[in-house]
Amino acid sequence: MSRLTVGQIRYDLFQINETAEPGLNVDAYLLTGSRKAVLIDTLQESEALYDTVKRLTDLPLEVIITHGHPDHAGRGLRQFHEAGVPVYMHEADLPLYQNMFGGEFPGEWFTEINEKDVFDLGGITLETILCKGHTPGSIVLFDEQNRRLFTGDAVGSGMFWMQIEGCTPLHEFRQELLKLTERFGNMKNLRIYPGHRWQSPVQLNAQYLKDTLALTDQILNHTDNGRECVMEFAGKPLAYKEASYGMMSAYSYNPENL
Ligand SMILES: [Zn+2]
């Protein structure tokens, strides 16, 4: 049984955390504009998410899924769909969501979302930016007025998973990260809100993007060859490598998928 905890980050931004033993600790974010609210991700197990969100806002609502992993497009999605709330996810993640990770809900439940799609909440606009890597359809959402970047797992949360099945080759991710870093890497007061906020003890900012790009380059040009690691994943041991640099404390990658 998982537990939901709501934190209010600002008057227009709530962090909804789901925690369960062992190992589940994931965040969704609720943004409330003057006309509309957007929920970013639907957590993993909890079916109480819809009621929790409805207690926080009575604005018209839309749901945006950052990527098709089961801890971000979880069971609570059903109640939103049944209430007629549009649920957006990039189509490149549908096969992964349904085949690899056994996603519960049919593709027709999802509305397509693409690069440059804009969601106008009234006082907050969210711009969609594709950042494939962690998954082929990972997106990030940029709130320009308030310099907030909602990133799911696309650039990790201080820890980063590029080692599992379904991740793109690292050099493809590098191109996407370069795009983000060129745009946001020197932006003062940028705040990054990732999918697993507990993994970083500090507020992630523009420097985090630069550090992640620097480390990606070090891995790709073999100036950092990482540490050998093994984890249990999907019931099997998974060998991978891990490296660290600056604000990126644990960058996990598959040395066979560079
Ligand atoms: Zn993920």
Side-chain angles (χ1 to χ4, degrees):
M1 185 73 175
S2 67
R3 186 174 66 247
L4 293 190
T5 309
V6 178
Q8 186 159 15
I9 295 173
R10 217 178 75 153
Y11 67 88
D12 60 355
L13 174 59
F14 297 89
Q15 175 186 4
I16 306 174
N17 175 269
E18 181 179 20
T19 307
E21 297 300 334
L24 173 62
N25 190 321
V26 62
D27 296 300
Y29 297 96
L30 177 68
L31 281 155
T32 55
S34 59
R35 293 195 305 275
K36 197 161 80 175
V38 161
L39 176 70
I40 300 174
D41 286 343
T42 57
L43 304 172
Q44 180 163 318
E45 295 174 4
S46 177
E47 295 180 17
L49 182 60
Y50 180 78
D51 289 342
T52 300
V53 168
K54 294 307 277 184
R55 274 197 296 276
L56 295 171
T57 182
D58 53 11
L59 287 165
L61 183 65
E62 296 187 333
V63 172
I64 305 175
I65 303 293
T66 58
H67 65 296
H69 279 163
D71 51 339
H72 302 266
R75 198 160 290 153
L77 198 150
R78 173 183 293 280
Q79 284 84 0
F80 293 94
H81 172 75
E82 289 176 352
V85 174
V87 179
Y88 295 86
M89 184 165 75
H90 196 282
E91 67 178 357
D93 269 13
L94 271 180
L96 167 145
Y97 169 76
Q98 291 180 313
N99 304 334
M100 196 181 301
F101 291 100
E104 290 181 41
F105 307 122
E108 305 84 74
W109 284 23
F110 298 94
T111 303
E112 174 59 348
I113 188 171
N114 268 306
E115 179 97 353
K116 292 194 166 53
D117 282 353
V118 173
F119 296 80
D120 185 355
L121 284 59
I124 303 168
T125 54
L126 291 176
E127 177 194 343
T128 309
I129 303 168
L130 186 59
C131 184
K132 66 179 177 182
H134 177 70
T135 67
S138 281
I139 58 157
V140 304
L141 295 159
F142 180 49
D143 166 12
E144 184 168 17
Q145 292 96 322
N146 302 292
R147 296 195 175 187
R148 297 182 288 204
L149 192 62
F150 298 89
T151 52
D153 290 349
V155 291
S157 305
M159 301 180 194
F160 186 32
W161 276 28
M162 281 295 288
Q163 81 279 32
I164 58 174
E165 196 179 348
C167 296
T168 72
L170 212 59
H171 72 273
E172 290 183 14
F173 167 66
R174 184 194 181 275
Q175 289 306 112
E176 300 285 85
L177 182 58
L178 184 63
K179 177 180 73 176
L180 291 189
T181 306
E182 284 176 349
R183 181 161 171 193
F184 302 115
N186 291 313
M187 187 172 276
K188 285 195 172 64
N189 303 321
L190 179 76
R191 288 180 167 79
I192 295 176
Y193 294 101
H196 303 273
R197 210 165 169 225
W198 70 274
Q199 291 178 352
S200 180
V202 295
Q203 172 65 56
L204 296 177
N205 57 27
Q207 185 63 43
Y208 177 66
L209 298 176
K210 292 202 275 194
D211 289 348
T212 305
L213 179 60
L215 183 53
T216 304
D217 284 337
Q218 290 163 26
I219 294 167
L220 286 172
N221 66 27
H222 299 284
T223 52
D224 189 330
N225 286 311
R227 304 174 284 278
E228 305 271 2
C229 301
V230 179
M231 72 188 306
E232 181 91 358
F233 186 73
K236 287 184 288 197
L238 173 68
Y240 65 101
K241 283 193 164 187
E242 186 181 281
S244 307
Y245 180 77
M247 294 179 86
M248 173 59 78
S249 61
Y251 189 130
S252 301
Y253 65 98
N254 175 0
E256 308 298 322
N257 194 29
L258 299 182

